Amino acid sequence: MTALAEQLERIVGSNGLTTDPDELQPRLTEWRGAYEGRSRCMVRPASTDEVVAVVRLCAAGNIGIVAQGGNTGMCAAAVPDMSGDQVILSMERMNRIRNVDPANFSMEVEAGCILASAQDAASAAGRFFPLSLGAEGTCQIGGNIATNAGGINVGRYGTARALVLGLEVVLANGTVLNTLRALRKDTAGYDVKQLFIGSEGTLGIITAAVLRLFSDPGERSTALVGLGSAAAAVDLLAAMKDGLGDRIESFELVSQRVFGLVERFIPDASLPFDEPHAWYVLLETAGVPKDDLENVLVAEAQRGLVRDAVLAKNTREADALWRLRHSISEAERIDGKALKHDVSVPLSSMQEFLQRGDELLATLRPDLKLVAFGHVGDGNLHYNVVLPRDLSDDDWHREGELITGAIYDLVDELGGCFSAEHGIGQAKKSWLAKYRGGPELDLMMTLKQALDPANILNPGKVF
Ligand code: FAD
Ligand code: MLT
Ligand code: ZN
């Protein structure tokens, strides 16, 4: 065992240290396997004090620390570099629900709390924690905050940023920043917790959070709707907002090709329609009588917008529809590598983006396959592209760069963002400089320099 590992073991104890290569292996690879890293050890601190001691030890030795939650991130931000010198700091042992305060509609949890556990703790107290995404059984609250995660309920409740009332963060010099206040109004100088939301482990180690809770939104109605075009989905969203107000919890767009991958690669996954449609929307409302939703869908069918629709009769049917949606990433991973574009545009530009994106891809390479799906309710699409499988690696990367740049330029022209919810990590560093260069990026780097001058927190990520 290295001297560093021995010193770390004195802090976290033998069951808080992992040096076994086999145990480390799954922590060294990004979820899709597109990035690999090396590390000699992983620490799993059991308390904030232990995190402080680990950070101080690494700071003294100028050793890089890679905070890791569930390692479900999509930008290789949670895996170490290839040097083997960085320490993985897993928050998995700091997973307690510290307290739930139903009267204040808040709860305090530790960063290693699995998202699904936080959802369950809220509902056990008669409250609702709305952050929800396909990885919720594995991802952790700390990772959700560090990536400013989005998911399927952003349209009504916002991203992780909107759900955080307070944070406890260990800074690069071992200082504990405690802003664990459960207040909706707290305006005393700068709102410093905001710096760490979406910071991807590069500004501080999140050890706990106070989260906003909501009252149970009431009866859920879930429908899978068949449409003739993606543009029709944008029209349907407008019609539903007009008809049902802001009680639309989720509005997910999926192309036929994507659901085709799910039916092909995911066991017991099949669409509840006799014939395929070019596009689908999986939508969910809460607190809306099923009849009201049905009436809107019937009216839009009569208008020729909705081709077909299935309204889940019960929770089991609703869960089966959501399983189709949440299986997309796995189906896409099995199908093979794709150029992933997690982009957002203003809702009013979504139809233009979809139409010009299709035209763009057709001119770049007619043999491309578009794998498009995502949270169109908040203007966020996963506009992924599959290149011909017989391309050499060099050609794949060269052509991929051209295609990705063209898509991101279109998004930028439409006032959108090239990174809607997954963050930057290693995967999109070069694009950050291109689309956020100048005063915005300069200020980001000033903040990084001020908070982590020795660059020990997740070195090589974001910048
Ligand atoms: P990790 O992957 O472990 O880490 C992510 C980043 O956070 C890294 O930079 C890491 O260093 C940092 N970090 C982790 N913990 C801490 C901490 N305690 N303090 C400081 N930094 C920390 N994302 C979405 O936004 N929306 C989706 O709909 C969505 N769906 C997904 C579906 C699937 C099937 C999968 C596999 C992923 C999906 N993701 C989605 C991506 C991913 O789940 C989210 O980014 C999630 O928030 C990552 O959480 P994690 O705990 O796995 O973080
Ligand atoms: C999703 O919306 O399913 C996720 O963001 C994951 C992905 O993009 O693959
Ligand atoms: Zn997503």
Side-chain angles (χ1 to χ4, degrees):
M1 187 185 283
T2 63
L4 171 67
E6 282 171 5
Q7 290 172 296
L8 289 169
E9 187 176 48
R10 280 199 284 278
I11 296 168
V12 295
S14 56
N15 62 354
L17 180 81
T18 306
T19 54
D20 177 311
D22 293 339
E23 280 182 50
L24 281 170
Q25 188 46 45
R27 310 307 187 106
L28 304 176
T29 314
E30 174 253 5
W31 188 80
R32 288 171 301 147
Y35 291 79
E36 190 84 29
R38 285 212 193 99
S39 175
R40 277 192 288 273
C41 67
M42 172 173 75
V43 286
R44 295 176 298 139
S47 70
T48 303
D49 287 346
E50 287 186 8
V51 174
V52 169
V54 167
V55 169
R56 288 207 166 120
L57 176 68
C58 291
N62 215 14
I63 293 159
I65 302 168
V66 180
Q68 195 173 91
N71 197 19
T72 66
M74 290 276 176
C75 300
V79 294
D81 65 14
M82 291 299 281
S83 70
D85 299 333
Q86 296 175 342
V87 170
I88 300 171
L89 189 152
S90 166
M91 295 303 292
E92 64 195 69
R93 288 174 71 207
M94 289 187 67
N95 59 9
R96 291 182 307 126
I97 308 273
R98 289 183 176 171
N99 79 63
V100 182
D101 184 346
N104 192 51
F105 287 81
S106 66
M107 68 178 175
E108 185 177 317
V109 305
E110 293 182 337
C113 178
I114 303 283
L115 174 53
S117 307
Q119 293 165 348
D120 294 346
S123 74
R127 295 289 176 259
F128 174 56
F129 182 60
L131 188 65
S132 177
L133 44 124
E136 60 197 20
T138 311
C139 62
Q140 297 173 9
I141 291 296
N144 298 147
I145 294 169
T147 55
N148 186 26
I152 60 172
N153 290 333
V154 168
R156 184 167 184 186
Y157 298 99
T159 63
R161 186 176 302 282
L163 304 173
V164 173
L165 291 174
L167 286 180
E168 180 184 70
V169 183
V170 177
L171 304 181
N173 62 6
T175 302
V176 177
L177 178 76
N178 183 335
T179 72
L180 290 171
R181 296 180 288 269
L183 301 171
R184 266 88 181 155
K185 292 198 168 177
D186 179 358
T187 308
Y190 301 141
D191 185 1
V192 295
K193 69 175 179 296
Q194 296 299 342
L195 291 173
F196 303 97
I197 304 172
S199 64
E200 300 185 60
T202 63
L203 298 181
I205 309 289
I206 298 163
T207 47
V210 178
L211 302 174
R212 281 181 69 193
L213 299 182
F214 296 79
S215 44
D216 187 318
E219 184 197 6
R220 290 179 177 286
S221 300
T222 309
L224 184 64
V225 180
L227 300 165
S229 70
V234 182
D235 291 338
L236 179 61
L237 177 63
M240 290 203 53
K241 282 180 179 268
D242 291 343
L244 303 171
D246 67 357
R247 292 171 297 170
I248 303 163
E249 299 268 309
S250 308
F251 196 89
E252 298 287 306
L253 177 66
V254 185
S255 71
Q256 166 50 30
R257 174 172 167 74
V258 172
F259 269 154
L261 294 178
V262 172
E263 288 188 306
R264 188 169 145 211
F265 293 120
I266 305 297
D268 311 322
S270 64
L271 286 168
F273 294 113
D274 299 335
E275 51 161 87
H277 295 282
W279 291 86
Y280 299 87
V281 161
L282 177 57
L283 61 93
E284 189 159 280
T285 59
V288 171
K290 267 193 187 16
D291 293 352
D292 292 9
L293 173 58
E294 193 163 1
N295 293 340
V296 171
L297 293 176
V298 166
E300 292 312 315
Q302 284 159 352
R303 221 160 56 95
L305 200 59
V306 167
R307 297 283 171 86
D308 200 347
V310 165
L311 206 51
K313 289 191 283 301
N314 50 46
T315 309
R316 188 182 50 76
E317 287 188 8
D319 290 348
L321 294 177
W322 278 111
R323 179 171 176 266
L324 293 172
R325 168 63 184 87
H326 288 323
S327 300
I328 292 174
S329 305
E330 179 59 21
E332 200 189 18
R333 178 168 69 168
I334 298 168
D335 182 47
K337 64 180 177 179
L339 293 166
K340 285 183 78 85
H341 306 109
D342 161 35
V343 297
S344 57
V345 294
L347 273 176
S348 48
S349 306
M350 180 59 76
Q351 288 179 330
E352 184 180 351
F353 168 71
L354 286 161
Q355 188 223 320
R356 288 178 58 190
D358 281 0
E359 288 161 5
L360 185 66
L361 294 182
T363 50
L364 287 169
R365 274 196 75 120
D367 54 356
L368 293 176
K369 298 271 184 300
L370 177 63
V371 178
F373 63 96
H375 326 281
V376 73
D378 24 275
N380 173 196
L381 267 192
H382 299 301
Y383 195 75
N384 303 337
V385 170
V386 178
L387 283 167
R389 295 290 180 211
D390 57 0
L391 280 186
S392 70
D393 278 354
D394 287 351
D395 288 347
W396 194 93
H397 284 289
R398 187 175 39 73
E399 298 225 16
E401 198 83 352
L402 283 174
I403 292 162
T404 298
I407 291 170
Y408 286 169
D409 282 348
L410 172 60
V411 165
D412 194 51
E413 180 198 326
L414 294 173
C417 179
F418 71 99
S419 174
E421 60 175 6
H422 293 159
I424 303 297
Q426 301 179 55
K428 292 179 246 179
K429 289 198 296 190
S430 59
W431 303 107
L432 182 69
K434 177 173 181 187
Y435 296 106
R436 294 290 156 87
E440 194 168 359
L441 187 62
D442 294 348
L443 182 56
M444 292 185 207
M445 296 176 114
T446 303
L447 288 167
K448 171 70 177 175
Q449 181 57 31
L451 285 167
D452 180 21
N455 191 24
I456 63 164
L457 296 179
N458 223 355
K461 310 299 183 1
V462 181
F463 302 116

